Every structure is written in C-alpha cells, then in structure tokens.
Amino acid sequence: MRTTRKLPRKTKTVELGIHGEHVSPGDHIALLWETPEEFTGAVGFLEVAIRGPEHAVIFGHPEANDRVCEILTARGHDVLALQRQGKLTILMGVPKGDHMLDSIASAFQAAIDSGAKLIRLLGNIGWGHENWPVEQEILAFEAKVTAAARAFPCVVLCLYDVQALSGRIIVHGAYKTHPLTICGNVLRENPYHVPLERFLDGMNAGAPV
C-alpha cells in the first residue's frame, strides 16, 4: 500500500478512542488487524461512548460480539447494565441484504431519540466464516454502510481480520468501500475508496472497480 498523507485536523471532530486520533461524524473506517492485541485495542473505540454522552453498537457474529463483550467486562464494564441503561446495543447477523442496514439504522435512530450525541458502531468482518454470505454481498453491504453513515451522527469502525480473510475481501472491502483505513496503527485517508454507485456498477459488471 502506498503512503498517503496523514489526516488533517477537521473543524468538527470526535476522539476515536484509538491512538489519540480524531475523526469526523459520518466516517466509515476499516481497521486491519493481525494480532489479538490489535483487536483488543480497538475496543477503546467503544469505551469513549460508554463513558460519555454517546451510544455504542456492536455488530457481528455471536463469537465476535462475545469476544468484544469479554474485553469490555475485563476492563470493568457491566455489559448487561449498559444494555439496560440504553448505552449499548448488540446486533447479531451477517451483512446480507438491506435488512441488516435497516436494523442498524433503526438502532441508530433509537439511540438518537434517547438523547445520544453520537453513535459508535464496531463491526467485525472475518468471524464465523461458515455462515457468511458470498463475497459480493459483503462488499455491497460495506459500500452501502459508507453512504448510509452520512445520514447519522455516527462513526463506524470495521475490524478486518487480515490473516483469515481472502485477498479479495481485503482489497475490495477494506480499501475500496472505506474512506479511511487504519493499518499499522496509522489512520489515513484512503486513496483507493470508490463511491457507492461506481462500486456497485463495477460489481454488476462482474467485479468491483
């Protein structure tokens, strides 16, 4: 991956919760992880929401969601209490079809209606492989998340398991469907990002652009 410039500070930003970086509401970020420590470190993204006037959402397969909850518990958070208090939502599922986008949007809207100033979604890409849909559906889902996130005061951080995922998912998913990436602990603007309509047109033609 070629070197890209570091993100400039923006007028309206929020603390990412990882490495002291700041991002803007509406951002969709791919974090490419290779070690358990990198995965664990990403949970700091949710802790900012838990400790402030924000709402945390976890989205993924049960095993991935359970691992995130285990990390939160080990850090002293009561996951069940956070759910009862309306600080945390856990969504199960696979990125297949627009119904999952609708579920995420409903969770976001409920959080906003309850007074959340910002929603943080931590998604897990690469767990429970036997239940995942075809790659085309994963890629379309991620591209649509980028477009949908702009409608909400939210930040979406997707965790990509570099060692377990196919090269196609990494190249077309992490890089082409996310405007921002974190790789090697560095947050960067993504020069490979492809806008939604052009990305979907490329898939319909046989392969993502």
Side-chain angles (χ1 to χ4, degrees):
M1 186 179 73
R2 69 173 178 241
T3 303
T4 58
R5 66 185 177 86
K6 191 78 178 293
L7 278 177
R9 287 288 181 259
K10 301 176 184 178
T11 303
K12 183 179 182 182
T13 64
V14 295
E15 178 74 27
L16 182 61
I18 304 171
H19 314 306
E21 299 282 4
H22 287 73
V23 295
S24 295
D27 278 342
H28 186 201
I29 309 160
L31 188 158
L32 288 80
W33 66 277
E34 298 186 62
T35 68
E37 291 75 21
E38 288 174 325
F39 183 92
T40 299
V43 177
F45 169 74
L46 294 178
E47 289 186 293
V48 178
I50 289 169
R51 292 172 175 150
E54 301 176 5
H55 187 85
V57 179
I58 305 170
F59 171 78
H61 284 275
E63 62 182 294
N65 290 355
D66 288 348
R67 180 60 189 139
V68 173
C69 290
E70 289 170 5
I71 295 168
L72 287 172
T73 299
R75 293 182 179 180
H77 302 289
D78 186 330
V79 170
L80 291 178
L82 290 169
Q83 291 177 275
R84 289 194 299 268
Q85 296 162 8
K87 291 289 293 177
L88 174 67
T89 298
I90 301 175
L91 298 175
M92 304 288 186
V94 295
K96 183 176 181 179
D98 290 345
H99 68 281
M100 283 312 308
L101 284 172
D102 292 339
S103 296
I104 292 171
S106 294
F108 281 15
Q109 191 60 57
I112 292 169
D113 292 344
S114 296
K117 303 299 183 185
L118 186 85
I119 303 101
R120 293 170 181 260
L121 185 150
L122 186 68
N124 300 284
I125 306 298
W127 296 68
H129 303 290
E130 69 279 2
N131 297 318
W132 280 86
V134 298
E135 292 182 349
Q136 293 274 102
E137 292 171 332
I138 297 174
L139 299 175
F141 174 84
E142 286 284 53
K144 290 177 181 179
V145 167
T146 293
R150 300 189 184 106
F152 294 96
C154 69
V155 178
V156 180
L157 181 66
C158 295
L159 306 183
Y160 278 75
D161 183 350
V162 174
Q163 296 188 28
L165 290 166
S166 73
R168 177 179 167 86
I169 291 290
I170 296 296
V171 171
H172 295 301
Y175 288 120
K176 292 189 178 179
T177 64
H178 292 72
L180 302 176
T181 61
I182 298 176
C183 187
N185 295 334
V186 178
L187 175 68
R188 298 186 186 279
E189 293 177 324
N190 182 7
Y192 306 110
H193 175 246
V194 179
L196 176 63
E197 293 304 323
R198 186 153 64 90
F199 186 86
L200 296 181
D201 286 346
M203 286 209 310
N204 292 334
V209 293

